[in-house]
């Protein structure tokens, strides 16, 4: 078999591995993302619990990078401290390494079972959770299949004349091996895929034992850099967690490489088989980084905060930077893109308000109330600027598609601004009344409201993502969930009335608050769902009364 064919087969198998990992992670995020994020946010109260939470979260998502992005948003939103965020990511690194260890077991018999179950689950129902469960199962089947294909594609390399020369050179130049491995992990955007590839090559005795430790260390360094690069344009608070991981994990791998130069540890001490040695060394490195790095997570985070804080802010009132550049009005497509970016800012602020308002229902905080009111004022100002900006685009310069996009964008920002008004005017007033009256929901009533709120938050994110991906399937799911939310409201109202009949004192005390809050959430959800209408209408998938 020619070298080109071998390379194509191996590259295709690795590509399948990357795609399967992404499919599993996407399915989990879509089906259970909000629940998992909420559980993670509640779990990370101290450094030890944070590391443990990051460990399990990375196992579920099969990616420490995904955890890095989520925890970075927690830190930026003020939910957790940056030190706790760094500790969470150190635990996630160990969880990602543990996933590699699990995948090393011979699970080939599960491949046809997972593919069959995934197909059945995906096609058996139009419900979102069933389809996402099918996506997860099918993705796991593809992931296991890709591992087998990588092994089969690697077999012809045993007779290669060039590969041994390359590996023999790298065996004598560990620094180059370290850097190339780091580059490969960054290119894959996955330490899981990189380590599994190295393990497969080692199984076939293509990878010299002397090269195992430098390559594994390099892969860990490259994996640490991924999150930092993905958040390089984010606000300072969101960059601290991945940068903290680079400092602790990156320095840990460099120190381990220096130690390997000094003592020349035999990798086969970790396992008898070279492939297993790759995986066990990967797990040992991340465990060591966690043990030695966890006590310093707070110190590193505070140091990065000081570095990223920059000069002291001006005492003058801050001026909001806008991307609505008047000079771009002569180019309608660019102007519409500018307006879209500004609408995304409105989406972000509205999502913060939607999350904070339920925290106020649970625990009153006057400062948070003022911040919600300030966010609503900011949204009103941005909404006004977007309307005026879109109105200044010359209609004569717009083609039919751009005109429709402009109109849909205007409609979207109006709906989001209305949702923000409901939060700041109606729901904030109800939260204040609950506090002033010292009222409390019944446990059953609060569980119903929380479930409803979680569903609306999930649908809000789905609606906001349509501004970026314009995914017809996402739009269809969003509109279909409108009826599910109606059912939640109906069932909750019926159960609430039953509790009143049964003489539930807490339900009687909070009756009007419960029903009005449910209806507010229903109205907000309807506004978000309507964002998907224009896209479905363009595709001919929307009737006046129902989806096709």
């Amino acid at each position: 078999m020619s070298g080109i064919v071998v390379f194509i087969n191996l590259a295709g198998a690795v590509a399948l591995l990357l795609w399967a990992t992404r499919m599993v992670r996407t399915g989990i995020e879509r089906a259970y993302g909000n629940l998992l994020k909420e559980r993670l946010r509640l779990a990370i109260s101290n450094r030890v619990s944070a590391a443990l939470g990051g460990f399990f979260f990375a196992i579920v998502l099969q990616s420490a990078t995904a955890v890095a992005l989520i925890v970075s948003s927690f830190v930026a939103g003020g939910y957790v401290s940056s030190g706790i965020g760094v500790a969470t990511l150190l635990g996630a690194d160990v969880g990602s390494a543990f996933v590699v260890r699990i995948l090393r077991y011979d699970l080939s018999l599960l491949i046809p079972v997972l593919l069959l179950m995934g197909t059945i689950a995906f096609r058996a129902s139009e419900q979102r959770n069933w389809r996402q469960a099918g996506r997860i199962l099918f993705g796991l089947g593809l992931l296991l299949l890709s591992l087998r294909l990588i092994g089969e594609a690697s077999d012809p390399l045993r007779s290669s004349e060039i590969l041994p020369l390359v590996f023999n050179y790298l065996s004598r130049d560990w620094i180059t091996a370290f850097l190339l491995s780091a580059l490969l992990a960054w290119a894959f955007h996955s330490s899981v895929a990189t380590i599994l590839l190295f393990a497969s090559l080692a199984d076939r005795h293509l990878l010299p034992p002397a090269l195992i430790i430098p390559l594994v260390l390099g892969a860990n360094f490259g994996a640490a850099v991924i999150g930092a690069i993905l958040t390089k344009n984010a606000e300072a608070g969101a960059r601290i967690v991945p940068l903290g991981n680079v400092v602790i994990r990156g320095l840990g791998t460099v120190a381990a490489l220096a130690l390997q130069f000094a003592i020349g540890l035999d990798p086969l001490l970790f396992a008898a088989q070279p492939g297993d040695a790759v995986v066990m060394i990967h797990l040992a490195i991340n465990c060591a980084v966690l043990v030695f790095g966890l006590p310093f997570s707070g110190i590193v985070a505070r140091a990065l905060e000081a570095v990223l804080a920059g000069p002291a802010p001006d005492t003058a009132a801050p001026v909001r930077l806008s991307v609505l550049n008047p000079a771009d009005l002569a180019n309608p497509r660019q102007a519409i893109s500018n307006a879209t970016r500004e609408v995304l800012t409105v989406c972000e602020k509205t999502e913060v308000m939607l999350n904070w308002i339920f925290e106020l229902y649970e625990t009153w905080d006057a400062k948070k109330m003022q911040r919600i009111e300030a966010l609503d004022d900011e949204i009103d100002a941005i909404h006004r600027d977007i309307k005026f900006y879109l109105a200044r685009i010359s209609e004569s310069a717009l083609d039919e598609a751009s005109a429709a996009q402009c109109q849909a964008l205007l409609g979207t920002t109006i709906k989001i601004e209305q949702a923000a008004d409901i939060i700041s005017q109606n729901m904030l007033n109800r939260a204040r009344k609950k506090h002033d009256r010292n009222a409390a929901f019944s446990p059953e009533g609060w569980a119903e409201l929380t479930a409803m709120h979680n569903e609306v938050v999930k649908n809000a994110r789905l609606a906001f993502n349509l501004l970026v991906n314009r995914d017809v399937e996402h739009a269809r799911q969003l509109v279909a969930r409108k009826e599910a939310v109606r059912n939640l409201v109906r069932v909750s109202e019926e159960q609430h009335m039953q509790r009143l009949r049964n003489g539930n004192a807490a339900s009687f005390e909070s009756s009007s608050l419960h029903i009005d809050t449910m209806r507010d959430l229903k109205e907000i959800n309807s506004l978000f769902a309507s964002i998907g209408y224009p896209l479905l209408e363009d595709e001919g998938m929307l009737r006046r009364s129902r989806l096709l």
Side-chain angles (χ1 to χ4, degrees):
M1 185 180 294
S2 68
I4 295 178
V5 173
V6 172
F7 175 78
I8 292 174
N9 287 334
L10 184 59
V14 172
L16 181 61
L17 173 62
L18 296 174
W19 181 259
T21 304
R22 178 180 175 82
M23 179 181 287
V24 174
R25 184 170 68 249
T26 301
I28 292 173
E29 288 175 346
R30 290 179 182 177
Y32 313 108
N34 290 326
L35 175 62
L36 290 172
K37 289 175 184 177
E38 184 62 23
R39 293 287 174 84
L40 178 64
R41 189 168 67 85
L42 295 175
I44 52 180
S45 56
N46 58 68
R47 282 183 293 184
V48 175
S49 66
L52 192 62
F55 173 81
F56 287 111
F57 206 69
I59 291 176
V60 173
L61 291 180
Q62 300 186 10
S63 171
T65 302
V67 178
L69 298 178
I70 293 170
V71 176
S72 294
S73 68
F74 288 170
V75 174
Y79 294 115
V80 297
S81 68
S82 54
I84 294 294
V86 173
T88 305
L89 192 48
L90 293 177
D93 292 334
V94 179
S96 177
F98 190 72
V99 168
V100 178
R101 182 68 191 92
I102 295 173
L103 293 175
R104 281 289 295 172
Y105 289 109
D106 185 7
L107 303 173
S108 57
L109 290 177
L110 291 177
I111 295 174
V113 176
L114 290 170
L115 293 176
L116 179 60
M117 290 175 60
T119 302
I120 293 173
F122 190 84
R123 297 176 64 88
S125 173
E126 291 296 322
Q127 293 184 10
R128 178 165 58 181
N129 285 348
W130 271 102
R131 294 177 72 86
Q132 298 311 324
R135 182 188 300 273
I136 294 167
L137 293 172
F138 198 85
L140 287 172
L142 289 180
L143 194 154
L144 297 178
L145 177 61
S146 68
L147 295 178
R148 189 168 73 184
L149 292 177
I150 288 174
E152 293 174 356
S154 303
D155 276 333
L157 293 176
R158 293 180 179 181
S159 59
S160 171
E161 298 178 357
I162 299 177
L163 197 63
L165 295 176
V166 174
F167 281 155
N168 286 334
Y169 169 75
L170 293 176
S171 297
R172 298 188 299 272
D173 187 354
W174 286 354
I175 294 178
T176 301
F178 178 92
L179 294 175
L180 287 176
S181 180
L183 183 62
L184 185 65
W186 173 82
F188 282 177
H189 272 43
S190 172
S191 62
V192 173
T194 307
I195 296 299
L196 286 172
L197 176 60
F198 290 160
S200 180
L201 294 175
D203 281 334
R204 283 150 179 80
H205 302 285
L206 296 170
L207 205 62
L211 198 53
I212 289 177
I213 291 180
L215 288 179
V216 173
L217 291 172
N220 278 273
F221 185 88
V225 172
I226 295 170
I229 293 177
L230 291 177
T231 57
K232 62 184 176 65
N233 294 323
E235 59 183 284
R239 294 165 58 198
I240 292 172
V241 170
L243 284 175
N245 192 47
V246 171
V247 172
I248 296 176
R249 191 181 183 191
L251 289 179
T253 57
V254 172
L257 182 63
L259 188 63
Q260 178 65 5
F261 270 109
I263 64 176
L265 187 65
D266 184 1
L268 296 182
L269 292 175
F270 290 85
Q273 298 299 320
D276 291 336
V278 171
V279 175
M280 295 308 297
I281 291 169
H282 177 55
L283 186 58
I285 288 167
N286 283 282
C287 287
V289 170
L290 174 63
V291 171
F292 291 106
L294 194 61
F296 299 100
S297 58
I299 298 173
V300 171
R302 288 191 293 272
L304 288 171
E305 285 175 352
V307 171
L308 296 176
D314 193 351
T315 55
V319 178
R320 189 184 69 83
L321 297 178
S322 172
V323 297
L324 301 177
N325 187 355
D328 291 330
L329 288 169
N331 184 348
R333 289 186 179 276
Q334 182 60 48
I336 291 173
S337 297
N338 293 346
T340 301
R341 289 173 58 191
E342 204 72 347
V343 174
L344 288 173
T345 301
V346 175
C347 293
E348 181 183 352
K349 293 178 183 295
T350 304
E351 184 176 350
V352 171
M353 291 175 64
L354 187 58
N355 281 303
W356 280 356
I357 191 62
F358 245 56
E359 293 178 11
L360 280 184
Y361 268 80
E362 192 169 11
T363 305
W364 180 256
D365 184 339
K367 291 184 177 179
K368 187 164 287 186
M369 176 205 71
Q370 294 171 357
R371 292 168 73 184
I372 290 177
E373 291 176 334
L375 281 173
D376 184 54
D377 291 339
E378 292 175 20
I379 289 173
D380 289 340
I382 299 173
H383 172 234
R384 183 182 62 250
D385 293 344
I386 292 172
K387 284 195 300 183
F388 291 156
Y389 189 77
L390 291 175
R392 292 172 63 189
I393 299 177
S394 174
E395 291 188 5
S396 61
L398 291 173
D399 55 34
E400 185 176 349
S402 297
Q405 186 179 359
C406 188
Q407 189 61 38
L409 198 60
L410 181 59
T412 295
T413 188
I414 290 173
K415 294 179 179 71
I416 298 173
E417 191 269 341
Q418 289 173 342
D421 284 343
I422 294 172
I423 296 170
S424 65
Q425 297 171 17
N426 297 0
M427 297 186 72
L428 191 58
N429 186 46
R430 304 193 207 292
R432 187 184 293 109
K433 284 183 179 179
K434 179 178 179 294
H435 170 70
D436 294 341
R437 298 174 183 175
N438 198 25
F441 295 108
S442 66
E444 300 86 355
W446 180 244
E448 292 164 9
L449 288 171
T450 302
M452 178 71 171
H453 176 258
N454 289 339
E455 185 67 24
V456 174
V457 170
K458 186 189 303 182
N459 293 338
R461 290 169 180 159
L462 204 57
F464 299 159
N465 286 342
L466 289 178
L467 289 170
V468 179
N469 60 25
R470 294 188 60 80
D471 190 312
V472 176
E473 178 60 24
H474 283 187
R476 193 178 189 284
Q477 291 176 10
L478 176 65
V479 176
R481 293 302 299 168
K482 186 175 180 180
E483 185 62 31
V485 168
R486 284 201 191 108
N487 290 334
L488 281 176
V489 175
R490 177 181 55 79
V491 171
S492 178
E493 290 178 348
E494 290 174 355
Q495 292 177 345
H496 178 72
M497 294 304 296
Q498 186 60 47
R499 288 193 292 272
L500 292 178
R501 295 188 195 100
N502 295 337
N504 189 312
S507 295
F508 182 81
E509 185 179 338
S510 61
S511 179
S512 61
L513 288 174
H514 179 101
I515 292 175
D516 291 342
T517 299
M518 269 289 183
R519 291 178 177 172
D520 286 338
L521 290 172
K522 177 184 175 183
E523 187 174 354
I524 292 171
N525 188 76
S526 296
L527 289 167
F528 292 152
S530 63
I531 293 174
Y533 290 165
L535 182 57
L536 294 175
E537 192 172 7
D538 291 344
E539 298 293 327
M541 298 177 66
L542 193 68
R543 292 178 179 171
R544 290 186 177 182
S545 59
R546 65 185 186 277
L547 286 168
L548 286 173

PDB file of all heavy atoms in Angstrom, residues 82 240 299-311:
ATOM      1  N   SER A  82     -12.311  33.475  40.169  1.00  0.00           N
ATOM      2  CA  SER A  82     -11.385  32.975  39.160  1.00  0.00           C
ATOM      3  C   SER A  82     -10.538  31.829  39.710  1.00  0.00           C
ATOM      4  O   SER A  82     -10.190  30.888  38.984  1.00  0.00           O
ATOM      5  CB  SER A  82     -10.484  34.109  38.659  1.00  0.00           C
ATOM      6  OG  SER A  82      -9.841  34.752  39.740  1.00  0.00           O
ATOM      7  N   ILE A 240      -9.098  34.487  32.368  1.00  0.00           N
ATOM      8  CA  ILE A 240      -8.262  34.101  33.512  1.00  0.00           C
ATOM      9  C   ILE A 240      -8.187  32.591  33.667  1.00  0.00           C
ATOM     10  O   ILE A 240      -7.107  32.027  33.888  1.00  0.00           O
ATOM     11  CB  ILE A 240      -8.799  34.759  34.796  1.00  0.00           C
ATOM     12  CG1 ILE A 240      -8.580  36.275  34.725  1.00  0.00           C
ATOM     13  CG2 ILE A 240      -8.103  34.183  36.026  1.00  0.00           C
ATOM     14  CD1 ILE A 240      -9.225  37.038  35.843  1.00  0.00           C
ATOM     15  N   ILE A 299      -3.664  31.726  43.937  1.00  0.00           N
ATOM     16  CA  ILE A 299      -2.538  32.662  43.755  1.00  0.00           C
ATOM     17  C   ILE A 299      -2.357  32.998  42.281  1.00  0.00           C
ATOM     18  O   ILE A 299      -2.189  34.166  41.896  1.00  0.00           O
ATOM     19  CB  ILE A 299      -1.245  32.052  44.332  1.00  0.00           C
ATOM     20  CG1 ILE A 299      -1.392  31.818  45.835  1.00  0.00           C
ATOM     21  CG2 ILE A 299      -0.049  32.943  44.030  1.00  0.00           C
ATOM     22  CD1 ILE A 299      -0.233  31.071  46.468  1.00  0.00           C
ATOM     23  N   VAL A 300      -2.383  31.959  41.431  1.00  0.00           N
ATOM     24  CA  VAL A 300      -2.221  32.173  39.990  1.00  0.00           C
ATOM     25  C   VAL A 300      -3.361  33.030  39.442  1.00  0.00           C
ATOM     26  O   VAL A 300      -3.134  33.953  38.643  1.00  0.00           O
ATOM     27  CB  VAL A 300      -2.163  30.813  39.255  1.00  0.00           C
ATOM     28  CG1 VAL A 300      -2.230  31.013  37.739  1.00  0.00           C
ATOM     29  CG2 VAL A 300      -0.902  30.059  39.634  1.00  0.00           C
ATOM     30  N   ALA A 301      -4.593  32.752  39.882  1.00  0.00           N
ATOM     31  CA  ALA A 301      -5.747  33.516  39.392  1.00  0.00           C
ATOM     32  C   ALA A 301      -5.636  34.984  39.790  1.00  0.00           C
ATOM     33  O   ALA A 301      -5.888  35.879  38.974  1.00  0.00           O
ATOM     34  CB  ALA A 301      -7.036  32.909  39.939  1.00  0.00           C
ATOM     35  N   ARG A 302      -5.243  35.253  41.036  1.00  0.00           N
ATOM     36  CA  ARG A 302      -5.104  36.653  41.477  1.00  0.00           C
ATOM     37  C   ARG A 302      -3.986  37.365  40.731  1.00  0.00           C
ATOM     38  O   ARG A 302      -4.105  38.553  40.390  1.00  0.00           O
ATOM     39  CB  ARG A 302      -4.858  36.698  42.989  1.00  0.00           C
ATOM     40  CG  ARG A 302      -6.085  36.362  43.811  1.00  0.00           C
ATOM     41  CD  ARG A 302      -5.867  36.690  45.293  1.00  0.00           C
ATOM     42  NE  ARG A 302      -4.854  35.835  45.897  1.00  0.00           N
ATOM     43  CZ  ARG A 302      -5.098  34.655  46.441  1.00  0.00           C
ATOM     44  NH1 ARG A 302      -6.336  34.187  46.447  1.00  0.00           N
ATOM     45  NH2 ARG A 302      -4.130  33.938  46.982  1.00  0.00           N
ATOM     46  N   ALA A 303      -2.898  36.656  40.462  1.00  0.00           N
ATOM     47  CA  ALA A 303      -1.800  37.263  39.698  1.00  0.00           C
ATOM     48  C   ALA A 303      -2.252  37.621  38.285  1.00  0.00           C
ATOM     49  O   ALA A 303      -1.938  38.712  37.767  1.00  0.00           O
ATOM     50  CB  ALA A 303      -0.616  36.307  39.648  1.00  0.00           C
ATOM     51  N   LEU A 304      -3.021  36.732  37.653  1.00  0.00           N
ATOM     52  CA  LEU A 304      -3.522  37.011  36.305  1.00  0.00           C
ATOM     53  C   LEU A 304      -4.535  38.147  36.323  1.00  0.00           C
ATOM     54  O   LEU A 304      -4.600  38.955  35.383  1.00  0.00           O
ATOM     55  CB  LEU A 304      -4.148  35.748  35.712  1.00  0.00           C
ATOM     56  CG  LEU A 304      -3.160  34.648  35.313  1.00  0.00           C
ATOM     57  CD1 LEU A 304      -3.895  33.363  34.947  1.00  0.00           C
ATOM     58  CD2 LEU A 304      -2.292  35.104  34.141  1.00  0.00           C
ATOM     59  N   GLU A 305      -5.351  38.219  37.371  1.00  0.00           N
ATOM     60  CA  GLU A 305      -6.292  39.331  37.491  1.00  0.00           C
ATOM     61  C   GLU A 305      -5.546  40.655  37.530  1.00  0.00           C
ATOM     62  O   GLU A 305      -5.951  41.638  36.894  1.00  0.00           O
ATOM     63  CB  GLU A 305      -7.138  39.174  38.754  1.00  0.00           C
ATOM     64  CG  GLU A 305      -8.216  38.100  38.651  1.00  0.00           C
ATOM     65  CD  GLU A 305      -8.937  37.901  39.973  1.00  0.00           C
ATOM     66  OE1 GLU A 305      -8.499  38.490  40.991  1.00  0.00           O
ATOM     67  OE2 GLU A 305      -9.930  37.154  39.999  1.00  0.00           O
ATOM     68  N   ALA A 306      -4.452  40.684  38.280  1.00  0.00           N
ATOM     69  CA  ALA A 306      -3.660  41.915  38.374  1.00  0.00           C
ATOM     70  C   ALA A 306      -3.031  42.273  37.033  1.00  0.00           C
ATOM     71  O   ALA A 306      -2.984  43.444  36.645  1.00  0.00           O
ATOM     72  CB  ALA A 306      -2.579  41.747  39.439  1.00  0.00           C
ATOM     73  N   VAL A 307      -2.553  41.260  36.317  1.00  0.00           N
ATOM     74  CA  VAL A 307      -1.905  41.502  35.023  1.00  0.00           C
ATOM     75  C   VAL A 307      -2.926  41.983  33.989  1.00  0.00           C
ATOM     76  O   VAL A 307      -2.668  42.926  33.228  1.00  0.00           O
ATOM     77  CB  VAL A 307      -1.203  40.228  34.521  1.00  0.00           C
ATOM     78  CG1 VAL A 307      -0.721  40.406  33.084  1.00  0.00           C
ATOM     79  CG2 VAL A 307      -0.033  39.881  35.431  1.00  0.00           C
ATOM     80  N   LEU A 308      -4.100  41.327  33.964  1.00  0.00           N
ATOM     81  CA  LEU A 308      -5.108  41.648  32.948  1.00  0.00           C
ATOM     82  C   LEU A 308      -5.926  42.881  33.287  1.00  0.00           C
ATOM     83  O   LEU A 308      -6.639  43.406  32.422  1.00  0.00           O
ATOM     84  CB  LEU A 308      -6.059  40.460  32.761  1.00  0.00           C
ATOM     85  CG  LEU A 308      -5.424  39.173  32.224  1.00  0.00           C
ATOM     86  CD1 LEU A 308      -6.453  38.057  32.169  1.00  0.00           C
ATOM     87  CD2 LEU A 308      -4.843  39.406  30.841  1.00  0.00           C
ATOM     88  N   ALA A 309      -5.828  43.339  34.563  1.00  0.00           N
ATOM     89  CA  ALA A 309      -6.638  44.492  34.959  1.00  0.00           C
ATOM     90  C   ALA A 309      -6.208  45.755  34.237  1.00  0.00           C
ATOM     91  O   ALA A 309      -7.019  46.624  33.930  1.00  0.00           O
ATOM     92  CB  ALA A 309      -6.532  44.696  36.474  1.00  0.00           C
ATOM     93  N   GLY A 310      -4.904  45.872  33.934  1.00  0.00           N
ATOM     94  CA  GLY A 310      -4.411  47.047  33.225  1.00  0.00           C
ATOM     95  C   GLY A 310      -4.391  48.266  34.127  1.00  0.00           C
ATOM     96  O   GLY A 310      -4.499  48.178  35.355  1.00  0.00           O
ATOM     97  N   PRO A 311      -4.295  49.449  33.543  1.00  0.00           N
ATOM     98  CA  PRO A 311      -4.247  50.681  34.342  1.00  0.00           C
ATOM     99  C   PRO A 311      -5.573  50.952  35.036  1.00  0.00           C
ATOM    100  O   PRO A 311      -6.617  50.438  34.643  1.00  0.00           O
ATOM    101  CB  PRO A 311      -3.930  51.766  33.290  1.00  0.00           C
ATOM    102  CG  PRO A 311      -4.425  51.180  32.005  1.00  0.00           C
ATOM    103  CD  PRO A 311      -4.210  49.707  32.108  1.00  0.00           C
TER     104      PRO A 311
END
